[in-house]
Amino acid sequence: MTELVIDDLQASVAGKQILHGVTLTVRSGEVHAVMGPNGSGKSTLSNVLMGRPGYEVTGGTVTLDGIDLLALPTWERAQAGLFLAQQYPTEVPGVAVREVLSEALVAAGRSTAELESLVAGEAERIGLSAALLDRAMNVDLSGGEKKRNETVQLAVLQPRIAVLDELDSGLDVDALRDVARRIEQATNDGFDGSPPLGALVITHYNRLLTELHPDVVHVFAAGKVQRTGGPELATELEESGYAEWAQLAEPEAAPARPVVDDPFFAGGTL
Ligand code: ADP
Ligand code: MG
């Protein structure tokens, strides 16, 4: 049994405090949905969990089975069993997905002998042409292909806890179903006898959750969890929208300079 424990996590980016004390725990086999308005800090949370440069932790703790994740570089967090599917997957020209997976397996002490059949099987399951895995990481892939690609990587890497940041964005209905089903299955059965996957699923919409069934739903706004409930909360949010929660966002300070990028603006008033 694995446990990701986030306790009172606070973080800033570009000098601005974004996370204001996030507390939640994800265990093996659990699916937690994090839903909330745009700009509330959901992607910041996922980036901070994975240790993306530029995000500064200003308080709180994150542990994975007791290991202090915040003290580790990103690759060691991955080896400890954490996986992040980014909202906007990073393009890495010149590096093929297969090479990345192969290196990751070696680094984790796993055999690469099965890599080809594992990749081919997973690609087929979620309807991704395996030839795309020979391309450079996320380069020249459609939005849907990127998300399927992330899911193949997840299934091959076999993490213990996955953070999925808007895995549903840019997916058509068929791709959404395939990807959600694959992850739902991992949260039920695990991978090859491992404990079932725990998932922190950041999403705007309910539609992902019709295949990937959340045990717990968190409303996330203004940089923290504002309310926690069961699956019915996702339905309620779909009906009520995020207006109530969006108001919680701190009022933006008036910009010192106009935000419009106006080449004719010479410092006076617009
Ligand atoms: P969400 O995923 O909930 O839409 P984000 O975490 O992407 O929200 O953004 C929360 C706030 O943090 C926004 O105001 C955004 O502009 C800011 N932010 C996030 N990442 C960065 C970054 N790398 N540099 C500057 N500001 C950032
Ligand atoms: Mg986001």
Side-chain angles (χ1 to χ4, degrees), residues 178-213:
D178 294 342
V179 161
R181 279 192 186 162
R182 179 66 190 96
I183 293 165
E184 167 76 16
Q185 194 188 25
T187 62
N188 291 329
D189 307 337
F191 307 100
D192 289 339
S194 68
L197 178 72
L200 188 62
V201 183
I202 296 170
T203 181
H204 230 61
Y205 306 105
N206 221 343
R207 53 182 202 154
L208 178 72
L209 305 175
T210 57
E211 296 283 349
L212 180 53
H213 305 122

Side-chain angles (χ1 to χ4, degrees), residues 42-43 87 165-166 202:
K42 303 182 301 297
S43 292
Q87 180 171 3
D165 191 0
E166 310 239 358
I202 296 170

